[in-house]
Amino acid sequence: MFEKNEILNWNEKDWKKKAFVNFTEDLTGKDPKFPCIFGTSGYHKNELRFDFFQKIDMESIKLLGQSLIEYLKIAKDLGSYTSFVAFFNIETNKNVEEYEKDFWQVLNMLHRIDESPWPQEISKDTNNPQWEFSFGGEPIFVVCNTPAHKLRKSRSASTFMITFQPRWVFDEIGLLTPKGEKSKKIVRELLKQYDDIAEYPYLGSYGDPENKEWLQYFISETNEVSNIEKCPFHQLLNKNSVGKVKYVSGDNISLEQAVFELLPETGSVEVQRNTPLREHKTHTHPTNETLLIIEGEITFYTENQKISCKSGDRILLPANTKHSSIAGPNGCLYIIALEFVNPEIEKTKEKVGAAL
């Protein structure tokens, strides 16, 4: 994690320095003026922190998670306009839709390695006005910028970039006060001057009955959203998820994307292919399992549920859940993520239990 003065002293040929200089020029430009006056203030006050990552893979996401935790520990000491900005050295010739998949992949992978419980005051339902992405026990508003954004210049960057802003920042700067409302109006007016496209119709305020925070995280080059009910963030894999069988519908996904999303920090993934109409009789597993469907269809049966899954859908089977399944007429390919179990710890538990 770095502050701006460190980065400005780096070699001009370094991709990190180039990405940061472009970021600085956008943020501090005068004609037109960058719309986010809060981000600009944070930059000038040296309240922003930055980090750089070579790719989107599990190793990089672990490093990102470590940097985020380090940042969250000092964020309140930095000031009221603080944010954490992550730059990624990935392809710069992707289209907006491809970058959108990358963005949600990053958030899903971050969530998988998060060791902290989901904050009790934050809804787990992405369509609830009280939902916000959380990491390290901290609710965080997230914004993505990409090289593919041309019309919506406020979401453009020379490289793939994600900004993380703690939820408490919005309280600190008083967005719900008359002064805050005035500031929001200024931002909206600047957006109209800055972007070459009409204002995004899903801009809202946290907690408002009609607001969905996730719709503001990644904004496309159009003012249309394919499905405003289906957020690409999936919370099934959090190790703190317990209880009944859970199902989330999704969109088509590749095998590589599925492995990145499901690969646990400590654990394993399996690839399984069922032949047409292959049946698995009723059985249980000793650990939590999450299944993500890649191709075909499969139907799961539990004691009181029937769940039909297609490509992109996922299902969480808590440990010891009785279930069976049957593949569709064209078979089914899916990934299984197994929660890690340390056999030595389990043996110790058994001995302690027997002693008691």
Side-chain angles (χ1 to χ4, degrees):
M1 183 176 66
F2 307 93
E3 59 178 277
K4 67 177 182 180
N5 293 331
E6 295 178 80
I7 304 170
L8 290 173
N9 291 325
W10 292 352
N11 190 307
E12 296 290 340
K13 296 181 179 180
D14 191 332
W15 77 268
K16 305 180 188 69
K17 174 68 175 289
K18 291 180 179 179
F20 183 77
V21 168
N22 285 325
F23 164 82
T24 298
E25 290 174 349
D26 289 340
L27 197 67
T28 60
K30 301 296 184 182
D31 187 24
K33 187 176 181 180
F34 191 73
C36 184
I37 57 178
F38 309 115
T40 302
S41 295
Y43 178 85
H44 288 304
K45 293 174 179 289
N46 197 29
E47 295 178 4
L48 308 186
R49 290 298 179 266
F50 310 89
D51 212 339
F52 304 82
F53 307 92
Q54 285 291 347
K55 57 181 70 174
I56 299 174
D57 60 6
M58 187 53 72
E59 181 179 354
S60 295
I61 297 304
K62 288 180 181 178
L63 293 174
L64 172 58
Q66 292 170 7
S67 288
L68 265 177
I69 291 297
E70 180 183 350
Y71 163 74
L72 291 172
K73 289 179 180 177
I74 65 170
K76 289 193 174 182
D77 294 328
L78 294 176
S80 300
Y81 297 97
T82 185
S83 292
F84 174 86
V85 184
F87 299 90
F88 292 81
N89 189 29
I90 64 174
E91 294 179 45
T92 58
N93 59 352
K94 295 184 177 184
N95 59 40
V96 173
E97 291 73 22
E98 290 172 322
Y99 282 123
E100 183 173 13
K101 290 181 179 179
D102 288 336
F103 169 71
W104 289 109
Q105 181 177 331
V106 169
L107 289 199
N108 280 315
M109 293 172 73
L110 270 176
H111 177 64
R112 180 60 188 94
I113 66 170
D114 190 7
E115 296 183 354
S116 300
W118 193 260
Q120 291 185 354
E121 72 276 12
I122 302 299
S123 173
K124 295 181 179 180
D125 178 4
T126 53
N127 289 323
N128 189 304
Q130 301 293 331
W131 180 85
E132 191 82 90
F133 174 74
S134 298
F135 188 82
E138 191 75 60
I140 303 172
F141 184 75
V142 191
V143 171
C144 185
N145 292 60
T146 83
H149 283 79
K150 305 299 182 184
L151 298 176
R152 202 177 300 281
K153 296 176 183 177
S154 57
R155 291 298 178 109
S156 178
S158 64
T159 192
F160 184 68
M161 183 182 92
I162 302 178
T163 302
F164 299 85
Q165 189 165 45
R167 177 79 249 158
W168 57 260
V169 167
F170 297 92
D171 297 327
E172 288 276 325
I173 60 182
L175 280 187
L176 297 180
T177 66
K179 181 180 177 180
E181 290 296 327
K182 183 178 180 180
S183 297
K184 283 195 289 187
K185 287 181 180 180
I186 293 174
V187 171
R188 298 288 175 86
E189 287 301 316
L190 289 173
L191 271 175
K192 292 177 182 178
Q193 301 172 33
Y194 199 83
D195 289 343
D196 293 332
I197 187 173
E199 183 179 273
Y200 184 63
Y202 299 103
L203 294 179
S205 298
Y206 182 77
D208 285 353
E210 301 301 319
N211 184 57
K212 295 179 182 180
E213 285 287 278
W214 66 272
L215 288 172
Q216 302 176 76
Y217 284 11
F218 191 101
I219 301 179
S220 73
E221 280 280 80
T222 72
N223 281 331
E224 299 177 0
V225 177
S226 58
N227 191 337
I228 63 172
E229 300 298 327
K230 186 184 291 184
C231 177
F233 178 72
H234 304 290
Q235 200 166 330
L236 290 184
L237 281 176
N238 189 290
K239 64 190 71 177
N240 300 298
S241 295
V242 295
K244 65 180 183 179
V245 175
K246 298 179 182 178
Y247 163 81
V248 173
S249 63
D251 298 318
N252 291 339
I253 189 170
S254 69
L255 181 61
E256 182 181 19
Q257 287 176 320
V259 171
F260 277 145
E261 285 195 17
L262 297 190
L263 189 63
E265 184 180 17
T266 54
S268 64
V269 294
E270 296 178 0
V271 181
Q272 185 157 323
R273 182 182 292 278
N274 287 356
T275 54
L277 302 179
R278 169 69 185 278
E279 183 178 1
H280 291 278
K281 300 293 185 181
T282 300
H283 61 288
T284 63
H285 301 287
T287 62
N288 293 342
E289 287 193 358
T290 298
L291 295 85
L292 177 51
I293 314 305
I294 310 300
E295 298 174 0
E297 298 176 346
I298 188 171
T299 300
F300 291 91
Y301 299 87
T302 66
E303 291 181 315
N304 54 12
Q305 290 177 280
K306 173 185 175 182
I307 305 173
S308 297
C309 299
K310 57 175 177 42
S311 178
D313 294 350
R314 62 187 71 202
I315 185 170
L316 171 66
L317 296 171
N320 302 313
T321 299
K322 291 182 179 180
H323 65 281
S324 61
S325 66
I326 183 168
N330 296 317
C332 187
L333 175 69
Y334 53 96
I335 297 284
I336 305 174
L338 306 172
E339 183 177 302
F340 176 75
V341 176
N342 187 321
E344 296 303 318
I345 293 178
E346 295 305 307
K347 287 180 182 178
T348 301
K349 287 181 180 179
E350 290 177 5
K351 290 179 180 178
V352 172
L356 294 175

